[in-house]
Amino acid sequence: MIKQILGRLPRKPGKAGDSREAAAAGNGTEPSNSYSVVRGMDPGNKRAGNGDYPVPSGLTSNPVMNGAVVYHSSEPLPAFKDVPASEKQNLFVKKVNLCCAVYDFADPTKNLKEKEVKRQTLMELVDYITSANGKFSEVVMLEITKMVSINLFRSSSPTPRENKAIEGVDLEEDEPLMDPAWSHLQIVYEVFLRFVASQETDAKLAKRYIDHSFILRLLDLFDSEDPRERDYLKTILHRIYGKFMVHRPFIRKAINNIFYRFIFETEKHNGVAELLEILGSIINGFALPLKEEHKLFLVRALIPLHKPKCVSMYHQQLSYCITQFVEKDCKLADTVIRGLLKYWPVTNSSKEVMFLGELEEVLEATQLAEFQRCMVPLFRQIARSMNSSHFQVAERALFLWNNDHIENLIKQNYKVLLPIIYPALERNSRDHWNQAVRSLTLNVRKIFSDHDSAFFGECDQRFSDEELKQEESDSKREALWMRLEEMAASKPRENSPLGAPNGKPSQAAG
């Protein structure tokens, strides 16, 4: 009888063995005031790394699935307004730990109470960080990075779809896969964003926890299918780059590696546009003269990013980065233009229109000396684009003359450039099926004619002479083929073995 009465009394929460027994007896559902941390912790470790977190005092532990441990607080946590200022940071740590509980959002009917408590707690953390007026301690930094790692660096994220843009399908028409846990993940991102941006976060201390391993896992998340997550990641990584100067070279190198893998191996990545958007801001802040490392990044990563078939998904951001380089150092214009010509599309008209638009932006930042280095191969390609049967390509090429800076560059070198493009102008004005293209062609002809009518007449005469030569050559070749056909028709037996046509022996020979 005494044993039965004692068995009904609650046990003390201090022993790990008792807490494990309690977990085994439970049904596996995490309570509303629980939080998860990684196994293998040392309670005495005050400066643990990202994977080693100290166990908060006064709590009992229970094992749960996924190799984590859940700690149960003995009573509900109070609000920040209900505790004195000296206790707020300790309460903050407890609330952060409470938010380490990870729930299954694939089933919206499970753990409703616990999910709501966690959501409310995360909102409290956002408010606390926003209004903090004292430096965050190292324990706080440790606990926040732990909570962020457990919630964001998840293994059960939705499987990304194949990049349909590679097959010529417009990915914008498809609905992106949204993470069902976003209602919690968004607030976790907001907590971390405000923590990184806060003036109370000491970068010298925080870099011990927001380290290279942490940044690599953060960069892995950029391949998320959910555009809302990528948008938060973009903002957070940019803040980290600005605050943690010691990590800047590593971040640039890690992004380079993502691009290399994308260009030369997979051609599949959801976050290229967001990474380029970050880099556009970084390039804008480069000091002059540019380091050799930055120029190599342009040549080895940015320019080859024009190669993948899905370039339309990130071309706007890529074009901005390229133009930033040319504006920083005008001597790079020749390198950039020759790089564009190297990857110039042959059969993809929409891609060619994008290239012509980017070319205009680059030429607008190009000076005369650099323009003269590459103008001959450049205008050979522009002439081909002007003659394109796709009217948008031809129009976009002719629109280059609407830019005053580009027109001025052309006029200063018209004696070299007009002979290159005059045949294209003449063919368009005679034969192009699109009326708008013919009108634009006539406008360009008038620009050259008004600038130097005598030289324009020379080019016209030269083109006429070349046409006559071509016609004579074509007629001679046609006459030669006709003679060969007549000879073949008149002497069929002499060219066949055994005196029979088509190489078949005659019956007499058999």
Side-chain angles (χ1 to χ4, degrees), residues 84-292:
S86 59
E87 293 296 323
K88 284 187 177 181
Q89 201 157 94
N90 289 334
L91 177 61
F92 178 78
V93 170
K94 292 180 181 179
K95 287 181 180 286
V96 169
N97 283 318
L98 180 67
C99 295
C100 290
V102 180
Y103 302 103
D104 180 14
F105 283 83
D107 185 353
T109 63
K110 290 177 64 176
N111 305 107
L112 293 178
K113 181 181 176 182
E114 292 85 349
K115 290 174 183 176
E116 180 58 23
V117 169
K118 179 182 175 182
R119 193 185 70 81
Q120 292 291 344
T121 306
L122 284 168
M123 294 298 295
E124 291 181 42
L125 297 180
V126 171
D127 294 337
Y128 178 86
I129 293 174
T130 305
S131 59
N133 56 3
K135 292 292 183 183
F136 293 123
S137 67
E138 194 167 352
V139 173
V140 168
M141 296 176 183
L142 168 66
E143 295 300 329
I144 287 180
T145 51
K146 175 194 71 175
M147 185 271 289
V148 168
S149 299
I150 290 172
N151 280 276
L152 300 186
F153 303 151
R154 54 211 186 275
S155 58
S156 58
S157 57
T159 304
R161 299 170 302 178
E162 290 189 0
N163 195 337
K164 294 183 179 180
I166 295 175
E167 302 171 4
V169 179
D170 188 0
L171 202 61
E172 294 178 358
E173 296 179 359
D174 298 316
E175 289 293 329
L177 295 178
M178 301 298 187
D179 197 316
W182 182 248
S183 59
H184 279 201
L185 291 176
Q186 180 182 11
I187 315 176
V188 174
Y189 274 117
E190 191 66 32
V191 168
F192 188 54
L193 173 59
R194 298 197 182 210
F195 169 72
V196 172
S198 175
Q199 294 181 353
E200 309 303 334
T201 301
D202 186 350
K204 291 182 180 180
L205 286 177
K207 71 179 181 181
R208 301 176 186 177
Y209 308 104
I210 303 176
D211 57 9
H212 288 181
S213 174
F214 185 94
I215 290 170
L216 283 177
R217 299 182 74 184
L218 201 67
L219 283 167
D220 287 341
L221 294 174
F222 272 87
D223 200 20
S224 169
E225 188 80 15
D226 195 327
R228 302 168 301 182
E229 182 169 20
R230 298 199 303 270
D231 196 52
Y232 260 106
L233 287 164
K234 174 185 69 178
T235 307
I236 288 171
L237 185 64
H238 191 243
R239 292 281 188 172
I240 290 174
Y241 188 90
K243 194 178 191 79
F244 299 87
M245 295 184 66
V246 67
H247 291 332
R248 289 182 181 182
F250 178 79
I251 291 174
R252 292 196 300 268
K253 183 178 179 181
I255 293 176
N256 279 7
N257 291 336
I258 292 174
F259 287 163
Y260 295 150
R261 195 177 307 115
F262 168 71
I263 296 165
F264 301 110
E265 294 180 15
T266 65
E267 288 199 7
K268 296 177 184 178
H269 197 283
N270 292 308
V272 175
E274 286 79 8
L275 290 170
L276 285 170
E277 198 166 334
I278 297 169
L279 286 169
S281 179
I282 292 173
I283 294 166
N284 192 32
F286 281 165
L288 295 176
L290 290 175
K291 295 180 181 178
E292 192 64 26

Side-chain angles (χ1 to χ4, degrees), residues 33-54:
N33 54 354
S34 66
Y35 52 91
S36 307
V37 289
V38 179
R39 275 182 179 165
M41 304 175 185
D42 180 7
N45 186 5
K46 300 296 184 182
R47 292 178 55 184
N50 283 338
D52 302 312
Y53 307 116

Side-chain angles (χ1 to χ4, degrees), residues 21 184 362 364 413 487:
E21 291 173 9
H184 279 201
V362 172
E364 199 165 3
N413 300 275
M487 292 172 62

Side-chain angles (χ1 to χ4, degrees), residues 421-453:
I421 65 170
Y422 186 86
L425 292 172
E426 188 67 23
R427 293 188 192 101
N428 268 8
S429 60
R430 290 181 190 175
D431 306 324
H432 205 284
W433 65 270
N434 186 270
Q435 181 60 45
V437 172
R438 289 204 300 272
S439 298
L440 288 169
T441 301
L442 292 175
N443 291 340
V444 173
R445 283 171 56 95
K446 189 174 186 303
I447 289 173
F448 283 110
S449 178
D450 293 346
H451 186 67
D452 189 340
S453 58

